[in-house]
Amino acid sequence: MIKRVVITGLGVVAPNGVGLDAFTHAIKNGISGIKKDPELARLQFSCQIAGKPEISTELSLQYFSELELRNFNSTGILYGVIAGIDAWKDAGLSLEINEEPDWDSGTIFGTGTSGIDKFRESIYKIDDFQTRRLGSTAVAQTMNSGVSAYLGGKLGLGNQVTTNSSACTTGTESILMAYERIQSGQAKRILAGSTSDSGPYIWGGFDAMRVCTFKHNDSPEQGSRPMSASASGFVPGSGAGALVLEDLETALARGAKIYAEVLGGNVNSGGQRGLGTMTAPNPVAVQKCIKSAIAKAGIHPNEIDAINGHLTATSKDSLEIQNWSEALERKGTDFPYINSLKSMVGHCLSGAGSIESVASVLQLHHGFVFPNINCEDLHPEITALIDESRIPRKLIEKELNIIAKASFGFGDINGCVIFKKFKCHPLTLSKGKGAKSENQ
């Protein structure tokens, strides 16, 4: 039997807010987390601003022991574990250590490059004949699956424990992989999400490609400008987002709070054919991805109330809007609301899709559309397609029913997931203990 899949827990580590309360406050009020980065300035990067979560030692010690934190410098794993455990706790799930693994629960938690600072440290020690001083956690910190391995151990997960990696599409893909595993009955719940390391060794390649802005080093909060005529490249960012996906029957049976339902989605690739390249999307594939996601979700394009776009503040923003308009066959004032979290946090790379999905679900759950900042001068190619009112510059308090979240990543790979506000039918509720929902 095909299972319905709902979201019962959220966790987030973002440049403009660590934890759900801080993050929700930030996105509702258009608060930027982008700041001047002294290390990027010292290293003479063209782009000397970045979005980097602020994690204190005191906060880290709530998730790791002092022994675990000794010689620990993998920010991606740190962000991912904090977001993942927060989501688990938010879902009302136990953190008690049991002898038996939880066979029904797993994690699919993606990343791009893991532990690059530890890699650098290891290279220098090996070259200096100090291999024995690498420490016992060098492997766990540098293997790509380190984040899912840490989460699997801390939560005692006995189902699938794995890490996916698909550039900027990683987080969206992890949600869809979790959805499919639960829908098919192979797991009752999956902690889905993604994370990205921070720092110059992650961001240096993008700076060298000249895809990052260099015009706002003295005005960091104004640097990330999706959909703006004055956009000059993306601002590098980092962080993690996490979502607990669960089959509806299990969630209802334990009386879980339900944020939203995952209706389905799609991933595909443009094959770097046509107009697609390593860094540019193939419009045919993007539109096909969106259309297939809508079809798999069983909805009509007119039912989409809002879009949380990829929209990185590069020259491709106009093309993304065009792809959405053509895929949905909607334009002008008929186009859904659309926003880009990157205006406030920058491009969090492999962590982007999951952080932005958390923001999407929060909009559904609480009934608002967060504002786009730094786009007072909307690109004329965008306003020629859709009405300015569809790109909110101020918070809109509004009940939403369906949001489409998409990521279009490096390598010409795409992902789109459809979230729906959860509404309990009395007959459904009678089958379980009852779901804590604003929609009962």
Side-chain angles (χ1 to χ4, degrees):
M1 184 179 75
I2 294 177
K3 306 280 187 178
R4 289 174 65 186
V5 181
V6 293
I7 297 166
T8 58
L10 299 173
V12 66
V13 174
N16 65 343
V18 177
L20 285 182
D21 290 343
F23 182 66
T24 303
H25 174 77
I27 65 174
K28 290 182 78 170
N29 291 279
I31 297 172
S32 174
I34 297 171
K35 298 178 180 179
K36 182 84 170 184
D37 190 308
E39 184 65 2
L40 300 186
R42 185 186 73 81
L43 294 169
Q44 300 181 12
F45 274 46
S46 297
C47 178
Q48 299 174 5
I49 61 177
K52 186 176 178 180
E54 296 182 356
I55 306 290
S56 66
T57 301
E58 289 74 21
L59 181 61
S60 299
L61 285 169
Q62 294 179 30
Y63 302 85
F64 293 86
S65 68
E66 289 188 12
L67 182 60
E68 286 177 316
L69 288 176
R70 190 178 300 167
N71 297 318
F72 187 96
N73 56 8
S74 176
T75 54
I77 291 177
L78 178 68
Y79 301 153
V81 168
I82 293 174
I85 290 179
D86 280 358
W88 198 257
K89 288 160 58 176
D90 184 52
L93 297 166
S94 174
L95 291 173
E96 290 183 12
I97 298 175
N98 299 310
E99 188 64 29
E100 189 83 358
D102 180 354
W103 304 115
D104 295 322
S105 302
T107 185
I108 301 173
F109 217 96
T111 188
T113 303
S114 184
I116 199 161
D117 283 311
K118 177 60 71 173
F119 262 126
R120 180 176 181 272
E121 175 191 322
S122 298
I123 290 168
Y124 278 109
K125 284 184 176 177
I126 290 169
D127 286 348
D128 290 339
F129 306 98
Q130 298 179 39
T131 305
R132 292 171 184 262
R133 295 183 61 189
L134 290 179
S136 60
T137 64
V139 172
Q141 288 189 62
T142 55
M143 64 185 189
N144 262 20
S145 57
V147 63
S148 58
Y150 270 97
L151 285 167
K154 288 182 177 295
L155 300 175
L157 305 177
N159 206 277
Q160 183 177 17
V161 172
T162 193
T163 292
N164 65 305
S165 186
S166 295
C168 319
T169 307
T170 299
T172 304
E173 181 186 67
S174 71
I175 294 167
L176 288 170
M177 291 173 71
Y179 165 79
E180 290 170 357
R181 187 164 182 84
I182 296 167
Q183 187 190 47
S184 65
Q186 296 180 75
K188 288 186 176 179
R189 69 183 62 82
I190 297 286
L191 174 62
S194 64
T195 186
S196 177
D197 270 354
S198 60
Y201 304 115
I202 292 291
W203 301 328
F206 297 103
D207 197 74
M209 291 172 65
R210 305 295 192 210
V211 295
C212 298
T213 182
F214 59 90
K215 296 183 177 181
H216 299 275
N217 290 336
D218 295 324
S219 52
E221 293 184 356
Q222 298 174 29
S224 187
R225 311 181 66 80
M227 296 180 283
S228 167
S230 56
S232 55
F234 73 76
V235 175
S238 57
L243 306 90
V244 175
L245 273 63
E246 194 164 355
D247 76 65
L248 177 60
E249 184 179 356
T250 299
L252 290 175
R254 68 182 187 87
K257 165 181 60 184
I258 296 178
Y259 283 102
E261 183 170 2
V262 182
L263 294 184
N266 188 54
V267 293
N268 76 357
S269 170
Q272 300 176 42
R273 299 295 188 269
L275 296 178
T277 67
M278 182 67 76
T279 58
N282 180 342
V284 175
V286 169
Q287 292 182 36
K288 184 177 178 63
C289 181
I290 294 168
K291 290 177 180 178
S292 296
I294 290 168
K296 290 180 179 180
I299 62 168
H300 190 278
N302 288 341
E303 294 182 76
I304 295 175
D305 300 309
I307 297 165
N308 183 241
H310 188 59
L311 298 167
T312 58
T314 65
S315 60
K316 299 301 179 184
D317 286 2
S318 300
L319 177 59
E320 181 177 334
I321 298 295
Q322 180 182 340
N323 286 330
W324 279 110
S325 180
E326 292 183 13
L328 301 180
E329 297 183 358
R330 297 173 65 179
K331 59 184 179 179
T333 56
D334 182 49
F335 195 81
Y337 290 111
I338 188 164
N339 52 20
S340 172
L341 185 67
K342 293 180 181 72
S343 64
M344 291 181 250
V345 302
H347 190 343
C348 296
L349 306 175
S350 56
S354 56
I355 296 171
E356 293 164 11
S357 290
V358 170
S360 300
V361 172
L362 288 171
Q363 289 181 105
L364 274 180
H365 186 63
H366 295 295
F368 69 90
V369 183
F370 67 76
N372 298 280
I373 65 173
N374 302 327
C375 63
E376 299 81 8
D377 58 331
L378 288 168
H379 199 290
E381 291 180 6
I382 292 176
T383 53
L385 282 171
I386 65 175
D387 192 81
E388 288 192 21
S389 65
R390 313 322 288 167
I391 306 172
R393 266 67 64 86
K394 294 182 179 179
L395 175 71
I396 296 175
E397 302 275 2
K398 180 180 178 63
E399 193 80 3
L400 302 170
N401 189 43
I402 293 178
I403 288 183
K405 165 67 205 141
S407 300
F408 308 120
F410 198 95
D412 198 11
I413 48 180
N414 311 304
C416 181
V417 59
I418 308 296
F419 299 116
K420 183 176 183 180
K421 189 174 181 70
F422 181 71
K423 296 177 181 178
C424 290
H425 189 281
L427 197 59
T428 303
L429 283 172
S430 67
K431 295 180 181 178
K433 297 179 182 177
K436 300 171 187 174
S437 171
E438 293 177 346
N439 310 297
Q440 290 183 21

